[in-house]
Amino acid sequence: MATTRTPVKMTWRVATVAGFRDETPAARTLELDVPGWPGHLAGQHVDVKLTAEDGYSTQRSYSAAAPADGERIELTVQRVRDGEVSPYLTEVAEVGDQVEVRGPIGGWFVWRPEDTAPVLLVGGGSGIVPLMAMIRARRAAGSLVPFRLIVSVRTPEDLYYADELRVPDPGVDVTVLHTRSAPEGSRRPPGRIGVADVNTHGWPAVLEPTCFVCGPTGFVETAADVLVALGHDPRRVRTERFGPSGS
Amino acid sequence: MAIVSRGFRGRPSSEDKPLPPGQYLTQDFPVLSAGPTPKIDPERWSFTVTTETGEDTSWSWREFQALPMETPTVDIHCVTKWSKFDTTWRGVSLDTLLAGVDTAADHALVHSYGGYTTNLPLEDLLDGQAWLVHSYDGEELHPEHGGPVRLLVPHLYFWKSAKWVRGIRLLLEEEQGFWENVGYHDHGDPWREQRYQGD
Protein backbone atom coordinates (compact mmCIF):
# COMPACT_ATOMS: atom_id res chain seq x y z
CA MET A 1 0.00 0.00 0.00
CA ALA A 2 2.05 2.92 -1.24
CA THR A 3 1.02 6.42 -0.32
CA THR A 4 -1.02 7.87 -3.14
CA ARG A 5 -2.81 10.69 -1.38
CA THR A 6 -1.70 14.26 -1.78
CA PRO A 7 -1.75 15.50 1.79
CA VAL A 8 -3.27 18.90 2.37
CA LYS A 9 -2.13 20.76 5.45
CA MET A 10 -4.84 21.20 8.04
CA THR A 11 -4.98 24.93 8.47
CA TRP A 12 -5.50 26.89 11.66
CA ARG A 13 -8.89 28.59 11.67
CA VAL A 14 -10.13 31.40 13.83
CA ALA A 15 -12.79 30.25 16.30
CA THR A 16 -15.05 32.70 18.09
CA VAL A 17 -16.74 31.84 21.37
CA ALA A 18 -20.48 31.93 20.64
CA GLY A 19 -21.68 30.67 23.99
CA PHE A 20 -20.92 28.38 26.88
CA ARG A 21 -22.61 26.12 29.39
CA ASP A 22 -21.22 24.98 32.72
CA GLU A 23 -21.51 21.19 32.93
CA THR A 24 -20.18 20.90 36.48
CA PRO A 25 -18.39 23.35 38.78
CA ALA A 26 -15.14 22.26 37.06
CA ALA A 27 -16.16 21.78 33.43
CA ARG A 28 -17.49 24.08 30.76
CA THR A 29 -18.77 23.44 27.25
CA LEU A 30 -17.66 26.08 24.76
CA GLU A 31 -19.65 26.70 21.61
CA LEU A 32 -17.28 27.93 18.93
CA ASP A 33 -18.08 29.40 15.54
CA VAL A 34 -15.40 28.27 13.09
CA PRO A 35 -15.84 29.61 9.55
CA GLY A 36 -14.75 26.92 7.08
CA TRP A 37 -14.90 24.05 9.59
CA PRO A 38 -14.82 20.87 7.46
CA GLY A 39 -16.98 18.79 9.84
CA HIS A 40 -15.94 15.89 12.06
CA LEU A 41 -16.84 12.41 13.24
CA ALA A 42 -18.04 11.61 16.74
CA GLY A 43 -14.98 10.85 18.85
CA GLN A 44 -12.56 13.07 16.97
CA HIS A 45 -10.70 15.90 18.65
CA VAL A 46 -9.63 19.41 17.88
CA ASP A 47 -6.32 21.18 18.46
CA VAL A 48 -6.75 24.53 20.18
CA LYS A 49 -4.05 27.22 20.02
CA LEU A 50 -3.93 30.20 22.34
CA THR A 51 -1.63 33.15 21.72
CA ALA A 52 -0.86 35.80 24.33
CA GLU A 53 -0.28 39.46 23.58
CA ASP A 54 3.48 39.00 23.91
CA GLY A 55 3.38 36.33 21.17
CA TYR A 56 3.73 33.33 23.49
CA SER A 57 1.59 30.52 22.16
CA THR A 58 0.59 27.05 23.30
CA GLN A 59 -1.67 24.24 22.12
CA ARG A 60 -3.89 21.54 23.62
CA SER A 61 -6.27 18.91 22.23
CA TYR A 62 -9.93 18.66 23.25
CA SER A 63 -12.59 16.20 22.16
CA ALA A 64 -15.63 17.49 20.34
CA ALA A 65 -18.68 16.96 22.55
CA ALA A 66 -21.21 16.93 19.74
CA PRO A 67 -21.46 16.46 15.98
CA ALA A 68 -20.70 19.65 14.07
CA ASP A 69 -23.68 21.94 13.57
CA GLY A 70 -22.60 23.58 10.34
CA GLU A 71 -19.66 25.75 11.32
CA ARG A 72 -20.38 25.55 15.05
CA ILE A 73 -18.49 23.05 17.21
CA GLU A 74 -18.70 22.24 20.91
CA LEU A 75 -15.78 21.34 23.16
CA THR A 76 -16.15 20.39 26.80
CA VAL A 77 -13.12 21.39 28.84
CA GLN A 78 -12.31 20.19 32.32
CA ARG A 79 -10.52 22.74 34.44
CA VAL A 80 -7.23 21.30 35.60
CA ARG A 81 -5.86 22.81 38.77
CA ASP A 82 -2.68 24.75 37.94
CA GLY A 83 -3.38 24.14 34.26
CA GLU A 84 -2.22 26.63 31.67
CA VAL A 85 -5.00 26.47 29.09
CA SER A 86 -8.06 24.95 30.77
CA PRO A 87 -8.47 27.75 33.36
CA TYR A 88 -8.49 30.26 30.50
CA LEU A 89 -11.09 28.33 28.52
CA THR A 90 -13.33 27.65 31.53
CA GLU A 91 -13.00 30.90 33.50
CA VAL A 92 -11.64 33.73 31.36
CA ALA A 93 -12.90 33.32 27.81
CA GLU A 94 -16.13 35.17 27.09
CA VAL A 95 -18.53 35.30 24.19
CA GLY A 96 -16.75 37.01 21.31
CA ASP A 97 -13.25 36.01 22.39
CA GLN A 98 -11.14 34.20 19.84
CA VAL A 99 -8.81 31.21 19.75
CA GLU A 100 -7.42 29.19 16.85
CA VAL A 101 -8.42 25.60 16.10
CA ARG A 102 -7.48 22.93 13.60
CA GLY A 103 -8.81 19.50 12.92
CA PRO A 104 -10.60 17.21 13.02
CA ILE A 105 -7.97 14.82 14.38
CA GLY A 106 -8.03 11.07 14.98
CA GLY A 107 -9.69 8.34 12.97
CA TRP A 108 -9.65 5.33 15.29
CA PHE A 109 -11.66 6.37 18.34
CA VAL A 110 -14.66 7.29 16.17
CA TRP A 111 -18.21 6.11 15.67
CA ARG A 112 -19.83 6.47 12.27
CA PRO A 113 -23.62 6.45 11.83
CA GLU A 114 -23.25 3.71 9.18
CA ASP A 115 -21.66 1.36 11.74
CA THR A 116 -24.12 -1.39 12.73
CA ALA A 117 -22.44 -3.25 15.61
CA PRO A 118 -23.83 -2.64 19.11
CA VAL A 119 -21.83 -0.02 20.98
CA LEU A 120 -20.56 -0.04 24.54
CA LEU A 121 -19.31 3.29 25.84
CA VAL A 122 -17.28 3.27 29.06
CA GLY A 123 -16.24 6.66 30.38
CA GLY A 124 -14.46 7.89 33.47
CA GLY A 125 -15.00 11.53 34.50
CA SER A 126 -14.24 13.88 31.62
CA GLY A 127 -13.76 10.78 29.44
CA ILE A 128 -17.49 10.98 28.73
CA VAL A 129 -16.96 13.86 26.29
CA PRO A 130 -16.21 11.96 23.06
CA LEU A 131 -18.72 9.28 24.12
CA MET A 132 -21.43 11.93 24.42
CA ALA A 133 -20.54 13.05 20.91
CA MET A 134 -21.29 9.47 19.78
CA ILE A 135 -24.64 9.39 21.59
CA ARG A 136 -25.57 12.73 20.05
CA ALA A 137 -24.40 11.62 16.60
CA ARG A 138 -26.55 8.49 16.90
CA ARG A 139 -29.56 10.61 17.79
CA ALA A 140 -28.88 13.13 15.03
CA ALA A 141 -28.61 10.34 12.46
CA GLY A 142 -31.76 8.56 13.67
CA SER A 143 -29.61 5.44 14.10
CA LEU A 144 -31.22 2.38 15.71
CA VAL A 145 -27.89 0.84 16.74
CA PRO A 146 -28.20 -0.18 20.41
CA PHE A 147 -25.88 1.79 22.72
CA ARG A 148 -24.98 1.26 26.34
CA LEU A 149 -23.12 3.88 28.34
CA ILE A 150 -21.36 3.16 31.62
CA VAL A 151 -19.99 6.33 33.12
CA SER A 152 -18.00 6.56 36.33
CA VAL A 153 -17.89 9.80 38.32
CA ARG A 154 -16.79 10.69 41.83
CA THR A 155 -20.07 12.16 43.01
CA PRO A 156 -23.44 12.85 41.34
CA GLU A 157 -22.40 16.51 40.94
CA ASP A 158 -19.46 15.48 38.74
CA LEU A 159 -21.59 14.00 35.96
CA TYR A 160 -21.41 15.99 32.72
CA TYR A 161 -24.59 16.34 30.62
CA ALA A 162 -26.66 15.05 33.57
CA ASP A 163 -29.95 16.64 32.46
CA GLU A 164 -29.62 15.30 28.95
CA LEU A 165 -28.69 11.82 30.15
CA ARG A 166 -31.78 11.72 32.37
CA VAL A 167 -34.09 12.13 29.37
CA PRO A 168 -34.98 8.68 28.03
CA ASP A 169 -33.31 8.06 24.67
CA PRO A 170 -34.70 4.79 23.22
CA GLY A 171 -31.87 2.39 22.47
CA VAL A 172 -29.38 4.11 24.76
CA ASP A 173 -29.04 2.53 28.22
CA VAL A 174 -27.22 4.72 30.73
CA THR A 175 -25.55 3.48 33.92
CA VAL A 176 -23.84 5.91 36.27
CA LEU A 177 -21.28 4.56 38.74
CA HIS A 178 -20.05 6.63 41.69
CA THR A 179 -16.61 6.21 43.17
CA ARG A 180 -16.82 8.53 46.22
CA SER A 181 -20.44 9.15 47.10
CA ALA A 182 -23.55 7.68 45.55
CA PRO A 183 -27.00 9.26 45.60
CA GLU A 184 -29.30 8.23 48.44
CA GLY A 185 -31.08 4.99 47.75
CA SER A 186 -28.36 3.75 45.39
CA ARG A 187 -27.93 -0.01 45.71
CA ARG A 188 -24.33 0.01 44.56
CA PRO A 189 -21.89 1.21 47.21
CA PRO A 190 -19.39 3.84 45.97
CA GLY A 191 -16.37 2.26 44.32
CA ARG A 192 -14.27 2.01 41.23
CA ILE A 193 -15.51 0.22 38.13
CA GLY A 194 -15.20 -3.57 38.34
CA VAL A 195 -15.98 -6.76 36.50
CA ALA A 196 -19.52 -6.93 37.90
CA ASP A 197 -20.35 -3.43 36.63
CA VAL A 198 -19.17 -4.13 33.11
CA ASN A 199 -20.70 -7.61 33.08
CA THR A 200 -24.08 -6.33 34.27
CA HIS A 201 -24.35 -3.09 32.32
CA GLY A 202 -22.27 -3.80 29.21
CA TRP A 203 -22.95 -6.10 26.28
CA PRO A 204 -22.06 -9.79 26.27
CA ALA A 205 -18.90 -10.36 24.21
CA VAL A 206 -20.83 -12.79 22.00
CA LEU A 207 -22.73 -9.83 20.50
CA GLU A 208 -19.38 -8.47 19.31
CA PRO A 209 -19.98 -4.86 20.29
CA THR A 210 -17.54 -2.09 19.49
CA CYS A 211 -16.27 -0.84 22.85
CA PHE A 212 -15.05 2.72 23.37
CA VAL A 213 -13.26 3.37 26.64
CA CYS A 214 -12.15 6.87 27.61
CA GLY A 215 -10.89 8.44 30.80
CA PRO A 216 -7.80 8.76 32.96
CA THR A 217 -5.11 6.12 32.43
CA GLY A 218 -5.89 4.05 35.53
CA PHE A 219 -9.57 3.93 34.64
CA VAL A 220 -8.89 2.98 31.02
CA GLU A 221 -6.38 0.29 31.96
CA THR A 222 -8.87 -1.27 34.38
CA ALA A 223 -11.91 -1.06 32.13
CA ALA A 224 -10.05 -2.35 29.06
CA ASP A 225 -8.57 -5.25 31.05
CA VAL A 226 -12.06 -6.12 32.35
CA LEU A 227 -13.47 -6.13 28.82
CA VAL A 228 -10.71 -8.42 27.59
CA ALA A 229 -11.21 -10.70 30.61
CA LEU A 230 -14.93 -10.86 29.80
CA GLY A 231 -14.08 -12.17 26.36
CA HIS A 232 -14.15 -9.06 24.19
CA ASP A 233 -11.70 -9.17 21.29
CA PRO A 234 -8.97 -6.58 22.10
CA ARG A 235 -9.25 -5.33 18.52
CA ARG A 236 -12.81 -4.21 19.25
CA VAL A 237 -11.80 -2.33 22.39
CA ARG A 238 -10.80 1.20 21.41
CA THR A 239 -9.26 3.40 24.04
CA GLU A 240 -8.51 7.04 24.49
CA ARG A 241 -6.77 8.37 27.57
CA PHE A 242 -7.00 11.76 29.16
CA GLY A 243 -3.76 12.12 31.07
CA PRO A 244 -3.57 14.20 34.23
CA SER A 245 -1.33 16.59 32.32
CA GLY A 246 -3.87 17.33 29.63
CA SER A 247 -4.23 20.80 31.09
CA MET B 1 -0.41 36.34 11.69
CA ALA B 2 -1.69 34.61 14.80
CA ILE B 3 -4.73 36.04 16.49
CA VAL B 4 -4.41 36.96 20.14
CA SER B 5 -6.75 35.37 22.67
CA ARG B 6 -7.87 38.25 24.89
CA GLY B 7 -6.79 37.78 28.47
CA PHE B 8 -4.56 34.77 27.83
CA ARG B 9 -1.15 35.13 29.40
CA GLY B 10 0.11 31.56 29.45
CA ARG B 11 2.95 30.13 31.40
CA PRO B 12 6.05 29.76 29.26
CA SER B 13 8.47 27.03 30.29
CA SER B 14 11.10 28.27 32.70
CA GLU B 15 13.63 25.76 31.33
CA ASP B 16 16.58 27.09 29.37
CA LYS B 17 16.19 24.29 26.87
CA PRO B 18 13.76 25.11 24.06
CA LEU B 19 10.62 23.05 23.40
CA PRO B 20 9.50 22.09 19.90
CA PRO B 21 6.70 24.35 18.58
CA GLY B 22 3.30 23.82 20.20
CA GLN B 23 4.64 21.56 22.97
CA TYR B 24 4.43 22.02 26.74
CA LEU B 25 6.55 20.46 29.43
CA THR B 26 5.22 17.81 31.81
CA GLN B 27 6.74 16.04 34.78
CA ASP B 28 4.27 13.14 34.44
CA PHE B 29 4.55 10.30 32.00
CA PRO B 30 1.14 10.15 30.34
CA VAL B 31 0.04 6.90 28.68
CA LEU B 32 -1.51 6.82 25.23
CA SER B 33 -2.59 3.63 23.51
CA ALA B 34 -5.28 2.76 21.00
CA GLY B 35 -6.47 -0.36 22.81
CA PRO B 36 -6.02 -2.64 25.80
CA THR B 37 -2.48 -3.17 27.08
CA PRO B 38 -1.18 -6.55 25.88
CA LYS B 39 0.43 -8.66 28.60
CA ILE B 40 3.54 -10.27 27.12
CA ASP B 41 5.62 -12.92 28.84
CA PRO B 42 9.28 -12.06 28.17
CA GLU B 43 10.05 -15.78 27.85
CA ARG B 44 7.77 -15.84 24.81
CA TRP B 45 8.87 -12.47 23.45
CA SER B 46 10.99 -12.31 20.32
CA PHE B 47 12.05 -9.61 17.90
CA THR B 48 12.37 -10.14 14.15
CA VAL B 49 13.82 -7.97 11.40
CA THR B 50 12.44 -8.93 7.98
CA THR B 51 14.18 -7.57 4.89
CA GLU B 52 12.56 -6.65 1.58
CA THR B 53 13.60 -10.06 0.24
CA GLY B 54 11.83 -11.83 3.11
CA GLU B 55 14.95 -12.77 5.06
CA ASP B 56 14.33 -12.94 8.82
CA THR B 57 16.77 -12.24 11.66
CA SER B 58 15.33 -12.96 15.10
CA TRP B 59 16.35 -12.55 18.72
CA SER B 60 14.82 -14.34 21.69
CA TRP B 61 14.57 -12.56 25.05
CA ARG B 62 17.82 -14.22 26.17
CA GLU B 63 19.65 -13.38 22.94
CA PHE B 64 18.41 -9.79 23.17
CA GLN B 65 19.58 -9.48 26.78
CA ALA B 66 23.05 -10.67 25.75
CA LEU B 67 23.53 -7.79 23.28
CA PRO B 68 25.55 -4.69 24.23
CA MET B 69 23.33 -2.29 26.19
CA GLU B 70 23.30 1.49 26.14
CA THR B 71 21.69 3.95 28.59
CA PRO B 72 20.41 6.91 26.58
CA THR B 73 19.05 10.01 28.36
CA VAL B 74 16.78 11.82 25.92
CA ASP B 75 13.90 14.29 25.62
CA ILE B 76 10.59 12.90 24.34
CA HIS B 77 7.78 14.70 22.54
CA CYS B 78 4.23 13.38 22.19
CA VAL B 79 2.03 14.57 19.33
CA THR B 80 -0.71 15.20 21.91
CA LYS B 81 1.46 18.18 22.97
CA TRP B 82 3.37 17.07 26.06
CA SER B 83 7.14 16.86 26.18
CA LYS B 84 9.29 15.37 28.89
CA PHE B 85 12.95 16.19 29.37
CA ASP B 86 15.82 13.93 30.42
CA THR B 87 14.18 10.50 30.35
CA THR B 88 16.62 7.63 30.88
CA TRP B 89 16.23 4.26 29.22
CA ARG B 90 18.27 1.11 28.80
CA GLY B 91 18.41 -1.03 25.74
CA VAL B 92 20.08 -2.02 22.49
CA SER B 93 20.90 0.39 19.69
CA LEU B 94 19.18 -0.35 16.39
CA ASP B 95 22.65 0.01 14.85
CA THR B 96 23.62 -3.15 16.73
CA LEU B 97 20.49 -5.01 15.65
CA LEU B 98 20.70 -3.96 12.01
CA ALA B 99 24.50 -4.29 11.64
CA GLY B 100 24.33 -7.75 10.13
CA VAL B 101 21.20 -7.20 8.07
CA ASP B 102 21.71 -6.85 4.33
CA THR B 103 19.12 -4.49 2.86
CA ALA B 104 18.55 -1.89 0.17
CA ALA B 105 15.38 -0.64 1.86
CA ASP B 106 14.65 3.03 2.58
CA HIS B 107 11.54 2.47 4.70
CA ALA B 108 10.63 0.63 7.87
CA LEU B 109 7.28 -0.59 9.19
CA VAL B 110 7.43 -1.40 12.89
CA HIS B 111 5.10 -4.11 14.23
CA SER B 112 3.87 -4.59 17.78
CA TYR B 113 2.13 -7.27 19.79
CA GLY B 114 -1.55 -6.34 19.67
CA GLY B 115 -1.38 -5.31 16.02
CA TYR B 116 -0.07 -1.73 16.24
CA THR B 117 2.17 -0.56 13.42
CA THR B 118 4.07 2.63 12.62
CA ASN B 119 6.18 3.66 9.66
CA LEU B 120 9.33 5.74 9.44
CA PRO B 121 12.30 6.17 7.14
CA LEU B 122 14.98 3.54 7.83
CA GLU B 123 17.62 6.25 8.18
CA ASP B 124 15.79 7.54 11.28
CA LEU B 125 16.50 4.21 12.99
CA LEU B 126 20.26 4.35 12.35
CA ASP B 127 23.31 6.30 13.50
CA GLY B 128 22.61 6.30 17.22
CA GLN B 129 19.09 7.64 16.89
CA ALA B 130 17.01 4.61 17.97
CA TRP B 131 16.98 1.83 20.54
CA LEU B 132 14.94 -1.17 21.65
CA VAL B 133 14.56 -0.47 25.35
CA HIS B 134 13.54 -2.73 28.23
CA SER B 135 13.86 -0.38 31.17
CA TYR B 136 12.90 3.16 32.06
CA ASP B 137 14.37 5.24 34.86
CA GLY B 138 16.27 2.26 36.19
CA GLU B 139 13.27 -0.04 36.37
CA GLU B 140 11.79 -2.73 34.19
CA LEU B 141 9.56 -1.13 31.55
CA HIS B 142 5.96 -1.28 32.73
CA PRO B 143 3.44 -2.83 30.28
CA GLU B 144 1.49 0.48 30.14
CA HIS B 145 4.61 2.11 28.77
CA GLY B 146 5.32 -0.68 26.31
CA GLY B 147 7.06 -3.40 28.30
CA PRO B 148 8.69 -5.79 28.00
CA VAL B 149 10.33 -3.96 25.07
CA ARG B 150 9.47 -0.81 23.15
CA LEU B 151 11.13 1.11 20.39
CA LEU B 152 12.67 4.45 21.36
CA VAL B 153 13.13 7.03 18.57
CA PRO B 154 13.22 10.21 20.61
CA HIS B 155 13.91 12.66 17.77
CA LEU B 156 10.47 11.86 16.29
CA TYR B 157 7.01 12.25 17.90
CA PHE B 158 6.55 9.51 20.42
CA TRP B 159 3.92 7.46 18.56
CA LYS B 160 6.83 6.33 16.34
CA SER B 161 8.39 4.76 19.47
CA ALA B 162 6.12 1.72 19.22
CA LYS B 163 5.25 -0.07 22.45
CA TRP B 164 5.28 -3.89 22.76
CA VAL B 165 7.50 -4.08 19.70
CA ARG B 166 7.90 -7.45 18.00
CA GLY B 167 9.52 -6.71 14.68
CA ILE B 168 10.48 -4.39 11.88
CA ARG B 169 9.84 -4.95 8.19
CA LEU B 170 12.28 -3.22 5.87
CA LEU B 171 10.58 -2.02 2.69
CA LEU B 172 11.54 -0.53 -0.65
CA GLU B 173 8.31 1.49 -0.71
CA GLU B 174 6.67 3.32 2.15
CA GLU B 175 3.76 1.55 3.82
CA GLN B 176 1.67 3.46 6.34
CA GLY B 177 1.17 2.34 9.91
CA PHE B 178 -1.78 2.61 12.29
CA TRP B 179 -1.87 6.35 13.03
CA GLU B 180 -0.30 7.40 9.75
CA ASN B 181 -3.19 5.70 7.98
CA VAL B 182 -5.69 7.94 9.79
CA GLY B 183 -3.95 11.21 9.10
CA TYR B 184 -0.79 11.40 11.19
CA HIS B 185 2.51 12.32 9.58
CA ASP B 186 4.76 9.78 7.86
CA HIS B 187 7.92 11.31 9.32
CA GLY B 188 6.83 13.13 12.50
CA ASP B 189 9.70 15.53 13.26
CA PRO B 190 8.59 17.61 16.29
CA TRP B 191 10.98 20.48 15.46
CA ARG B 192 9.22 20.89 12.11
CA GLU B 193 5.86 20.26 13.79
CA GLN B 194 5.03 17.36 11.46
CA ARG B 195 1.97 16.23 13.40
CA TYR B 196 -0.49 15.43 10.64
CA GLN B 197 -0.34 14.54 6.95
CA GLY B 198 0.37 17.71 5.04
CA ASP B 199 2.24 19.45 7.90
Side-chain angles (χ1 to χ4, degrees), chain B residues 9 24-25 88 113 139 166 180:
Chain B
R9 279 192 297 278
Y24 66 92
L25 200 59
T88 301
Y113 290 91
E139 292 183 14
R166 68 181 304 174
E180 293 82 3

Side-chain angles (χ1 to χ4, degrees), chain B residues 39-89:
Chain B
K39 309 294 188 292
I40 302 143
D41 177 1
E43 291 302 319
R44 301 176 68 97
W45 177 89
S46 68
F47 180 76
T48 303
V49 175
T50 305
T51 68
E52 69 277 15
T53 59
E55 201 166 319
D56 285 344
T57 312
S58 293
W59 294 263
S60 68
W61 179 252
R62 271 167 226 280
E63 288 164 341
F64 172 71
Q65 293 290 342
L67 295 170
M69 296 287 167
E70 299 179 7
T71 311
T73 295
V74 295
D75 302 334
I76 57 177
H77 310 289
C78 178
V79 72
T80 64
K81 316 285 169 16
W82 57 266
S83 292
K84 189 170 174 62
F85 285 162
D86 302 323
T87 62
T88 301
W89 309 78

